[in-house]
């Protein structure tokens, strides 16, 4: 049982949100609420509910990160990995095994839906308060953004990639839009899942400030447009994705010159929730990974080879470990926790890709050159040379791998790019003399719903 407590601004009010990960009433998502509240009655009360550290910050999913082609571990390390604290499912995800939970609770599923429950409590409560009350709009906008952010992440794990031909029939995720836990849960279609994500973001856009206020764990219009661009890119709606990427950059397009970072430190980025990094639009991070410990992991040689000698990211992101391995240490979180938020560099790369795909390669090359200046040193870079549109697209996609490695986005890129034979990739692992293979468009690109959820609700399991 996980208990989250928050003292609200008024000393007489204590909100205790207890999320039970097993049991209780039928027809719910393996997430239960035992809510003991001196009833919240003001905007400040609901703002405090959202200000819990479990809602701002630790918002990231975990299953997709150990499953990509960005790193590997050697057999003795894999066999010796500890299995406590939900690490078994991460270890099984590394090999894309059909059964990953082995009686563990589904950490990504439970965490996301417990946060969605809190968001829905806030949204239900705000309906009873005059919308003109001071602070009402940004609190509601924040709640809608967070719900969209969690639905987006759940869709990348537990639903197939968006395909406009089949999205209306493909099974998506349950869409919980209310705090009443007695309402039966069922899976929406992929089409309806993405429509809900975009609807929540569209509504939040009207309510949030242009840029983060206070700290970057709170969303803004710049972050909303950035997330809409990311979602629309996954939907292959390149015109709309481009528009939102450019709108986000209109609010905040600053880039950080990596030449000024201190690569002699263990972690080059400051651990200040992104406040000192102008690129961070929305700050979020995942739990720690045993697989990614600096004494265990090896950067995949192909990923490492993508960085040329003048690319500062090679020394910012990677470091040689005590075991002779090269490991990742470039999280924008400033520690071994994985940053999975939104940045201006990502919106630039989305805009560049969409420019290419919609027939404007010159504009794309200009954006890519802009990023290269900040990653190769302002005085060291040379303009990009490209032969044709396909050559530039290949470079742009490789730049996504260089810039956005170890943020959870590689899994999403593999899923969407596997639909194009030019970029489809077969993943291979070698452990204890056994070879494990994940072919393009394999059913295992969709993770199983936790077994306890299927048993409790009767919802349809994903084929593996």
């Amino acid at each position: 049982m996980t208990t989250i407590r928050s003292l609200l601004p008024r000393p007489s009010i204590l909100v205790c949100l207890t999320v039970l990960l097993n049991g209780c009433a039928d027809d719910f998502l393996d997430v239960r609420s035992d809510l003991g509240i001196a009833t919240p009655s003001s905007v400040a009360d609901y703002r405090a509910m959202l200000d819990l550290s479990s809602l701002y910050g630790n918002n990231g999913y975990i299953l997709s990160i150990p499953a990509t082609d960005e790193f590997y571990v050697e057999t003795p390390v894999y066999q010796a990995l500890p299995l406590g604290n939900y690490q078994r499912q991460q270890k099984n995800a590394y090999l894309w095994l059909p059964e990953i939970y082995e009686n563990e609770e589904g950490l990504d599923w439970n965490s996301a839906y417990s946060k969605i429950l809190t968001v829905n409590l806030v949204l239900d409560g705000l309906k009873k308060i005059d919308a003109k009350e001071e602070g009402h709009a940004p609190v509601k906008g924040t709640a809608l953004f967070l719900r969209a952010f969690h639905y987006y992440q759940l869709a990348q794990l537990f639903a197939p990639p968006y395909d406009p031909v089949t999205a209306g029939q493909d099974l998506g995720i349950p869409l919980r839009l209310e705090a009443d836990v007695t309402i039966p849960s069922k899976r929406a279609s992929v089409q309806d899942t993405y429509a809900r994500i975009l609807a929540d973001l569209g509504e939040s856009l009207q309510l949030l400030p242009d840029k983060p206020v206070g700290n970057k764990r709170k969303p803004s219009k710049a972050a909303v447009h950035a997330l809409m661009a990311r979602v629309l890119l996954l939907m292959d709606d390149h015109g709309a994705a481009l528009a939102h990427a450019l709108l986000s950059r209109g609010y905040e397009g600053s880039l950080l010159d990596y030449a000024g970072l201190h690569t002699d430190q263990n972690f080059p980025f400051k651990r200040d929730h992104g406040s000192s990094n102008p690129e961070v639009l929305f700050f979020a991070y995942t739990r720690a990974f045993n697989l990614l410990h600096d004494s265990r992991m090896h950067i995949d040689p192909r990923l490492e080879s993508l960085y040329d000698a003048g690319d500062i990211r090679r020394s910012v992101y990677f470091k040689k470990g005590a075991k002779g391995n090269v490991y990742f240490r470039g999280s924008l979180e400033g520690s071994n926790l994985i940053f999975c938020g939104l940045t201006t560099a990502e919106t630039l790369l989305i805009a560049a890709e969409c420019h290419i795909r919609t027939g404007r390669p010159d504009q794309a090359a200009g954006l890519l050159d802009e990023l290269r200046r900040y990653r190769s040193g302002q005085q060291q870079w040379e303009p990009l040379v490209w032969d044709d549109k396909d050559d530039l697209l290949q470079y742009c996609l490789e730049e996504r791998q260089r810039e956005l490695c170890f943020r959870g986005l590689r899994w999403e890129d593999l899923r969407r790019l596997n639909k194009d034979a030019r970029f489809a990739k077969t993943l291979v692992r070698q452990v204890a003399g056994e070879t494990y293979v994940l072919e393009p468009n394999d059913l295992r690109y969709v993770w199983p719903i936790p077994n306890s959820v299927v048993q409790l609700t009767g919802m349809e399991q994903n084929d593996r």
Side-chain angles (χ1 to χ4, degrees), residues 104-120:
E104 283 187 349
E105 292 301 321
L107 193 58
D108 282 334
W109 183 281
N110 289 343
S111 177
Y113 277 110
S114 67
K115 294 182 176 89
I116 290 167
L117 173 59
T118 301
V119 165
N120 286 337

Side-chain angles (χ1 to χ4, degrees), residues 255-265 267-270 276-279 310-313 315-316 329 371-380:
L255 294 172
L256 177 67
D257 189 349
Y258 277 22
L261 294 175
H262 299 287
T263 56
D264 56 327
Q265 300 177 354
F267 300 101
F269 296 101
K270 291 183 179 179
S276 64
N277 189 336
E279 294 189 13
D311 196 323
I312 302 172
R313 287 171 297 194
S315 58
V316 169
R329 53 83 173 260
L371 182 60
R372 292 172 68 239
R373 283 199 299 273
Y374 286 86
R375 300 300 186 257
S376 300
Q378 296 279 0
Q379 308 303 319
Q380 304 298 322

Side-chain angles (χ1 to χ4, degrees), residues 278-322:
E279 294 189 13
V280 175
L281 299 175
F282 176 67
F283 185 84
Y285 61 90
T286 70
R287 295 169 175 82
F289 289 82
N290 280 332
L291 282 161
L292 300 186
H293 191 275
D294 59 21
S295 66
R296 296 186 177 115
M297 71 174 300
H298 295 257
I299 298 300
D300 184 83
R302 183 185 177 280
L303 173 60
E304 192 175 3
S305 72
L306 291 177
Y307 300 87
D308 62 38
D311 196 323
I312 302 172
R313 287 171 297 194
R314 178 189 286 272
S315 58
V316 169
Y317 287 173
F318 309 126
K319 186 176 181 179
K320 193 169 185 178

Side-chain angles (χ1 to χ4, degrees), residues 62-118:
I62 61 172
L63 281 178
S64 63
I65 293 173
T68 70
D69 58 350
E70 296 176 318
F71 78 105
Y72 70 94
V73 296
E74 295 176 337
T75 293
V77 169
Y78 181 84
Q79 293 174 331
L81 284 171
L83 296 177
N85 195 27
Y86 299 99
Q87 298 289 342
R88 187 182 301 274
Q89 58 200 270
Q90 297 177 31
K91 184 176 180 179
N92 291 338
Y94 175 78
L95 298 180
W96 320 294
L97 298 181
E99 169 55 44
I100 62 171
Y101 299 110
E102 294 188 47
N103 298 318
E104 283 187 349
E105 292 301 321
L107 193 58
D108 282 334
W109 183 281
N110 289 343
S111 177
Y113 277 110
S114 67
K115 294 182 176 89
I116 290 167
L117 173 59
T118 301

Side-chain angles (χ1 to χ4, degrees), residues 124-137:
D124 285 356
L126 289 175
K127 293 175 183 177
K128 303 171 186 176
I129 300 175
D130 189 342
K132 296 180 181 179
E133 184 172 324
E134 183 178 358
H136 190 287

Side-chain angles (χ1 to χ4, degrees), residues 338-411:
I338 297 297
F339 172 84
C340 60
L342 299 160
T343 68
T344 59
E346 183 192 350
T347 60
L348 181 152
L349 288 168
I350 292 173
E353 180 180 343
C354 291
H355 270 313
I356 299 168
R357 293 186 183 276
T358 54
R360 292 181 286 269
D362 289 334
Q363 288 91 328
L367 289 174
L368 292 169
D369 278 339
E370 179 183 350
L371 182 60
R372 292 172 68 239
R373 283 199 299 273
Y374 286 86
R375 300 300 186 257
S376 300
Q378 296 279 0
Q379 308 303 319
Q380 304 298 322
W381 76 283
E382 295 182 1
L384 186 63
V385 177
W386 46 284
D387 295 328
D388 53 36
K389 186 176 73 171
D390 288 342
D391 181 46
L392 187 62
L393 179 58
Q394 179 68 47
Y395 179 89
C396 183
L397 295 177
E398 289 176 351
E399 185 65 9
R400 283 184 64 86
Q401 293 183 61
R402 285 186 286 266
E403 176 67 23
L404 306 175
C405 62
F406 293 95
R407 297 190 192 179
L409 295 175
R410 179 58 177 163
W411 182 252

Side-chain angles (χ1 to χ4, degrees), residues 8 10 13 37-46 125 128-129 133:
L8 297 177
R10 293 182 293 161
I13 296 181
I37 295 182
T39 306
S41 58
S42 71
V43 170
D45 294 343
Y46 291 112
K128 303 171 186 176
I129 300 175
E133 184 172 324

